[in-house]
Amino acid sequence: MKSFSESYKAAGVDITAGYAAVELMKQHVARTMTPGAIGGLGGFGGLFELDMTGLTHPVLVSGTDGVGTKLKIAFLMDKHDTVGIDCVAMCVNDVVTCGAKPLVFLDYIACGKNVPEKIAAIVAGVAEGCVRAGAALVGGETAEMPGFYPENEYDLAGFTVGVVEKSKIIDNTKMRAGDAVIALPSSGVHSNGFSLVRKIFNVGYTDIHRRYDELSGTLGETLLTPTKIYVKPVLALLEKIDVRAVSHITGGGFYENIPRALAGGCVAKIEKSALRTPPIFPLLQKVGNIPEHDMFNTFNMGVGMAAVVPGEQADEALRILREAGEDAYIMGEIVSGEEKGVTVC
């Protein structure tokens, strides 16, 4: 007998829609399969066989995050195939700051109404993010929750596990004055600060399709640009450079995130004139009349990742990152201070 409940459907949950969504997403999940992935969708747990080649003391590194209120932009645009990239990026970019290679990813989608084509579009974005990160999408969950979420809305979160050799975990104890701070450019606002973004532009009331002279696309298109995934460039950098620290610039901007990776007594002195800031940020500051400090304490300001490397290895580090597709550049240096922190000057 096929699984079907008329009573559950009358309560707002159509389990057959869930089955249809799984069938539609299978082709996207298949793109993410790596040699360690075992089995497919449908089990109670995602299986992954850890390859221990080259590992003596493996350390698992995990991370979890969601897309946040950027999803409101996706709802207004009725475009759902990119937010999954954001979801993956927010997790894998965190674990790679330790030097870990992401192995697996799982997603969680909670929605008011399960529309199979929409769920499949979301998962297509998740799969694309996994491909960019080199992680296998080994499972997930879709929860239809009528009465909890509006019919046309959903939430999206994810979870990743990576691995790093214990001796290769990024160690900031060798950080010293004279080290270079390298910027890996962002693709835009990424997935942070959208409560402020929506307040500034009054999103939901103002036309999301409005065009500004400063932007190459509409406001909605610009804001929905997915978060860049830095896993492969950072791992390439770690193979040949004695990286002292890596920071993922998320909510809290420069002032919160860069110090998290600094050694005691080290200050990251950032040259404001060196930054390559996308036009969306000056537009946000102008329209919202936002103080400069708040901009650097909320947004990434065009820098998605910051890496600290020995000054004498800076040129080689830039070469490696550029070969990996990142137009990286030096945005500052490490100087001595009484307390670790950031100065933007």
Side-chain angles (χ1 to χ4, degrees), residues 283-303:
L283 181 62
L284 281 163
Q285 185 173 9
K286 181 179 71 173
V287 175
N289 191 28
I290 306 299
E292 181 178 86
H293 177 275
D294 290 2
M295 292 295 295
F296 279 95
N297 211 157
T298 306
F299 302 113
N300 66 60
M301 299 302 286
V303 180

Side-chain angles (χ1 to χ4, degrees), residues 89-250:
M90 297 307 296
C91 299
V92 299
N93 285 346
D94 274 354
V95 303
V96 80
T97 63
C98 301
K101 171 182 170 52
L103 298 175
V104 299
F105 191 85
L106 293 92
D107 60 30
Y108 175 79
I109 305 167
C111 59
K113 181 177 177 59
N114 187 334
V115 179
E117 293 77 14
K118 181 184 289 187
I119 299 299
I122 297 168
V123 174
V126 173
E128 175 60 28
C130 287
V131 169
R132 295 182 188 185
L137 180 56
V138 297
E141 174 71 12
T142 301
E144 190 173 19
M145 302 168 65
F148 194 89
Y149 291 96
E151 278 199 3
N152 294 321
E153 295 192 3
Y154 56 85
D155 197 10
L156 174 62
F159 176 86
T160 191
V161 176
V163 66
V164 60
E165 176 65 25
K166 188 174 182 179
S167 64
K168 294 184 178 179
I169 296 173
I170 296 176
D171 179 11
N172 67 11
T173 59
K174 293 183 289 184
M175 188 180 296
R176 64 180 186 271
D179 286 348
V181 183
I182 294 178
L184 281 66
S186 71
S187 57
V189 183
H190 282 185
S191 302
N192 306 103
F194 270 83
S195 293
L196 180 55
V197 169
R198 293 185 302 112
K199 180 177 184 294
I200 290 171
F201 288 116
N202 203 17
V203 172
Y205 301 94
T206 305
D207 186 1
I208 199 70
H209 301 290
R210 178 177 175 179
R211 291 185 178 274
Y212 290 84
D213 292 340
E214 295 91 337
L215 306 179
S216 59
T218 65
L219 175 62
E221 290 168 344
T222 302
L223 295 177
L224 210 54
T225 302
T227 306
K228 189 181 287 188
I229 292 175
Y230 299 96
V231 170
K232 294 177 182 179
V234 171
L235 291 179
L237 183 67
L238 291 171
E239 287 183 6
K240 297 183 178 179
I241 299 295
D242 183 20
V243 178
R244 305 281 168 78
V246 178
S247 299
H248 183 199
I249 313 302
T250 56

Side-chain angles (χ1 to χ4, degrees), residues 97 170-181 243-247 256-269 306-309 333-343:
T97 63
I170 296 176
D171 179 11
N172 67 11
T173 59
K174 293 183 289 184
M175 188 180 296
R176 64 180 186 271
D179 286 348
V181 183
V243 178
R244 305 281 168 78
V246 178
S247 299
E256 181 177 321
N257 290 289
I258 293 179
R260 293 169 65 179
L262 298 180
C266 289
V267 174
K269 182 182 178 183
V308 178
V309 304
E333 65 173 343
I334 298 297
V335 299
S336 297
E338 292 185 6
E339 296 183 1
K340 65 180 182 180
V342 176
T343 61

Side-chain angles (χ1 to χ4, degrees), residues 5 20 79 153 169 213 220 312 315 320 336:
S5 171
K79 180 174 173 57
E153 295 192 3
I169 296 173
D213 292 340
E312 64 273 15
D315 289 342
I320 293 169
S336 297

